[in-house]
Amino acid sequence: MILRDGPGAETSAPLAILCGGGAFPLEVAGEARRAGREPFLVGVVGATDSGVEAYPHVWVRMGEVGKLFAALKERAIAEMVIIGAMTRPEFADLRFDWGAVRRAPELAQLFRRGDNGLLAGIAAIIEREGVRIVGAHEIAPRLLAPVGKIGARAASAEDETDIGLGARLLAALSAFDAGQGAIIAAGRVLAIEAAEGTDAMLARVADMRVSNRLRLSGSAGVLVKAPKRGQDLRLDMPAIGPKTIEGAAKARLRGVAVSADHVLITERQRCAREADAAGLFVAGFAYAPRAG
Amino acid sequence: MILRDGPGAETSAPLAILCGGGAFPLEVAGEARRAGREPFLVGVVGATDSGVEAYPHVWVRMGEVGKLFAALKERAIAEMVIIGAMTRPEFADLRFDWGAVRRAPELAQLFRRGDNGLLAGIAAIIEREGVRIVGAHEIAPRLLAPVGKIGARAASAEDETDIGLGARLLAALSAFDAGQGAIIAAGRVLAIEAAEGTDAMLARVADMRVSNRLRLSGSAGVLVKAPKRGQDLRLDMPAIGPKTIEGAAKARLRGVAVSADHVLITERQRCAREADAAGLFVAGFAYAPRAG
């Protein structure tokens, strides 16, 4: 894992951060500054939460590609992190500036792709302009889940068994480009995540418990999260945060386990505090390279 | 696969059918009679739909174990099929007769198990009384999905690719005692079934399409169903029926593909008609034995 010798981590070159929603962008900006890099934040109207004003920044609308590139060039910025929640816009809703109009046919093509394909295509356009995309985890390794517990509670021996089963299940699914998450309770697979995402999977388990489709007493089950093999972690790093803890608490799980060094945690202190209050454990497990 | 030489298929021994909800029990009864066996239907109050009156029958309440065994013994019935939808009762809701009271401690233990464990335990109790549990597919092989299309539409070459991917995905999940179903669209895994069941998985995909979480145009995706490896097909055979077709239509899928000879189809004519009306294909695919 890259820690101190990440790209630019020892330089003072400026770093752009394209900010989605949530707390991640400001956390990455803080970590970049700690590492001696001056962050330049790109707020996206309708996506980025407030707070970017604390740093040098520019606001762009979705589709203002020309404005984005002009701002980066003006500051001679050669590296950018893309981080935070982003709702996929409709192509028709994009606000095209001249920089975008020039690329409109290519952009239109990209919008026919799935989310990952769209993101990869946008990253490719940015890199063609000489701006390298780097992963948030390379700039802010402290946001990565460590091995072991976060918060007061630890996983029990039975939880560890469930975590192992979940990790092997996700590894087996990886060959199918699916499965960033699963929920396991005492050896039983309660839910497997595909296109719906982790929050919807947690809500499903909560619903099944309320409707008595799942007859489990007390807290039961562990959410296990790990990246898919071959996933581009610069663009789509698995992440958890307070919303995950809230969802896990509503589903009355025993805890949340994530692949250490391969999953980002936003608002870690708050996650730990809220997990403690809900009686949940949150832990990083050692990542076993996936077979095949 | 057992066809003509199934247990009792060539005898005229009477056959009990413990009837859950839906059309399956009467279909199995009809097939049993066609094969020269006299069906004796056991209706379960609150679970079985009307229609059992067309055959020699008895009604029991959940928990009337003594009454069930007495009825079977009186008719010297040595084989029973358990078929149809059954909602798991609460232990406290069981109507205990003397036959049940005698077994109450054992039954209480069984109700601490998962659905499969409960069913296996009940089957074991029944078999200890000298009544062999046989699979509906052994008595009524005509209810099994054939290879190839059911209804007018056939799977396209691209659908076949998705079916292959889904079948391999389910095979990989089988080692985890999970995955009777998945939904695949042009190589992308949209949903994987675990404890929620097929209908809920179809509803989830329908929801994701309405909410635009899944941006797919027109009909897209195939529901793929197959049994888990090691699944006791006498007790828990994967099945589809008109409700599956309705769910697939609401999710705007292209079709439904099931493992031929390993999945039951209830109301096949109606399924074919409703699939045709919705523009869906329904097909059985050749079963590849699962590796491992």
Side-chain angles (χ1 to χ4, degrees):
Chain A
M1 212 204 73
I2 295 156
L3 274 165
R4 299 301 308 164
D5 55 350
E10 290 173 295
T11 82
S12 59
L15 173 78
I17 301 173
L18 184 62
C19 304
F24 265 132
L26 295 181
E27 290 181 290
V28 173
E31 289 294 307
R33 189 170 266 178
R34 264 176 46 96
R37 304 202 53 178
E38 190 48 32
F40 175 70
L41 273 51
V42 181
V44 180
V45 177
T48 309
D49 291 317
S50 62
V52 298
E53 298 79 7
Y55 293 90
H57 69 280
V58 65
W59 282 97
V60 300
R61 288 169 195 277
M62 294 235 191
E64 288 185 331
V65 179
K67 185 175 178 185
L68 168 64
F69 287 141
L72 299 182
K73 289 213 166 82
E74 190 184 318
R75 289 162 186 83
I77 295 175
E79 286 192 334
M80 183 160 80
V81 167
I82 302 177
I83 184 75
M86 199 84 77
T87 304
R88 184 188 170 117
E90 297 279 358
F91 182 69
D93 293 341
L94 296 183
R95 172 74 62 108
F96 274 28
D97 63 11
W98 283 110
V101 166
R102 194 155 63 79
R103 298 171 181 89
E106 186 180 6
L107 285 168
Q109 277 298 121
L110 294 183
F111 271 80
R112 299 214 185 108
R113 298 190 190 175
D115 291 352
N116 287 345
L118 171 61
L119 210 50
I122 289 171
I125 289 176
I126 292 168
E127 296 211 311
R128 273 213 312 272
E129 295 292 320
V131 177
R132 209 165 73 83
I133 305 291
V134 294
H137 58 294
E138 298 173 86
I139 301 300
R142 294 205 312 170
L143 300 185
L144 286 168
V147 172
K149 69 179 180 176
I150 299 142
R153 275 182 189 253
S156 70
E158 196 191 333
D159 295 331
E160 297 283 1
T161 305
D162 283 344
I163 293 166
L165 178 66
R168 291 195 305 279
L169 172 79
L170 297 181
L173 279 173
S174 211
F176 302 93
D177 194 19
Q180 282 199 1
I183 299 175
I184 316 289
R188 183 177 173 206
V189 181
L190 302 186
I192 304 172
E193 176 183 342
E196 74 276 21
T198 304
D199 294 336
M201 177 176 62
L202 286 167
R204 174 160 87 246
V205 170
D207 285 348
M208 284 194 282
R209 296 201 67 174
V210 168
S211 70
N212 257 338
R213 183 172 178 101
L214 282 180
R215 286 155 189 279
L216 303 165
S217 52
S219 62
V222 180
L223 167 65
V224 184
K225 272 187 77 99
K228 294 177 278 190
R229 186 178 55 208
Q231 187 167 342
D232 187 341
L233 298 180
R234 299 174 313 148
L235 300 177
D236 180 24
M237 185 96 177
I240 63 167
K243 203 171 170 188
T244 319
I245 305 304
E246 186 188 345
K250 282 191 179 155
R252 297 169 63 206
L253 300 190
R254 292 181 47 79
V256 175
V258 302
S259 174
D261 295 336
H262 293 82
V263 175
L264 295 170
I265 307 182
T266 188
E267 300 183 73
R268 187 184 298 198
Q269 300 308 321
R270 187 177 154 202
C271 284
R273 199 170 58 241
E274 294 182 0
D276 289 351
L280 293 164
F281 72 82
V282 180
F285 60 87
Y287 183 77
R290 292 176 174 196
Chain B
M1 212 205 72
I2 295 155
L3 275 165
R4 300 301 307 163
D5 55 349
E10 289 171 296
T11 81
S12 58
L15 174 78
I17 301 173
L18 183 61
C19 305
F24 265 132
L26 296 180
E27 291 181 289
V28 173
E31 290 295 308
R33 190 170 266 179
R34 264 176 46 95
R37 303 201 57 176
E38 190 50 31
F40 174 69
L41 274 51
V42 181
V44 180
V45 177
T48 310
D49 292 317
S50 61
V52 298
E53 298 79 6
Y55 293 90
H57 68 280
V58 65
W59 282 96
V60 300
R61 289 169 195 277
M62 294 235 193
E64 288 185 331
V65 179
K67 185 174 177 183
L68 169 63
F69 287 141
L72 300 181
K73 289 211 166 81
E74 190 185 317
R75 288 161 187 84
I77 294 175
E79 286 193 333
M80 183 160 81
V81 167
I82 302 177
I83 184 75
M86 197 83 77
T87 305
R88 184 189 171 117
E90 299 278 359
F91 181 69
D93 293 341
L94 297 184
R95 172 74 62 107
F96 274 28
D97 63 10
W98 283 111
V101 166
R102 196 155 61 80
R103 298 171 181 91
E106 186 181 4
L107 284 168
Q109 277 298 121
L110 294 182
F111 271 81
R112 296 210 187 111
R113 298 191 190 174
D115 292 352
N116 287 345
L118 172 61
L119 209 49
I122 289 170
I125 290 177
I126 292 168
E127 297 211 311
R128 274 211 313 271
E129 295 292 320
V131 177
R132 211 165 71 84
I133 305 292
V134 294
H137 58 295
E138 298 173 86
I139 301 299
R142 293 206 312 171
L143 300 185
L144 286 167
V147 172
K149 69 179 180 177
I150 299 144
R153 275 182 190 256
S156 70
E158 196 191 334
D159 295 331
E160 297 283 0
T161 304
D162 282 343
I163 294 166
L165 178 65
R168 288 195 305 279
L169 172 79
L170 297 181
L173 279 173
S174 211
F176 302 93
D177 194 19
Q180 282 200 1
I183 299 176
I184 316 288
R188 183 177 173 206
V189 181
L190 302 186
I192 304 172
E193 176 184 343
E196 75 276 21
T198 304
D199 294 337
M201 176 177 63
L202 286 167
R204 175 160 88 245
V205 170
D207 286 347
M208 284 194 283
R209 296 202 66 175
V210 168
S211 70
N212 257 339
R213 182 170 179 104
L214 282 180
R215 286 159 189 275
L216 303 165
S217 52
S219 62
V222 180
L223 166 65
V224 184
K225 271 187 80 97
K228 294 177 277 189
R229 184 178 55 210
Q231 187 165 342
D232 187 341
L233 298 181
R234 299 174 313 148
L235 299 177
D236 181 23
M237 185 97 180
I240 63 167
K243 203 171 169 187
T244 320
I245 305 304
E246 186 189 345
K250 282 190 179 155
R252 297 168 61 205
L253 300 189
R254 293 181 47 78
V256 175
V258 300
S259 175
D261 295 335
H262 294 81
V263 175
L264 295 170
I265 307 182
T266 188
E267 301 183 70
R268 187 184 297 198
Q269 300 307 323
R270 187 176 153 201
C271 284
R273 199 170 58 241
E274 294 182 1
D276 289 351
L280 293 165
F281 73 81
V282 179
F285 61 86
Y287 183 77
R290 292 176 171 193

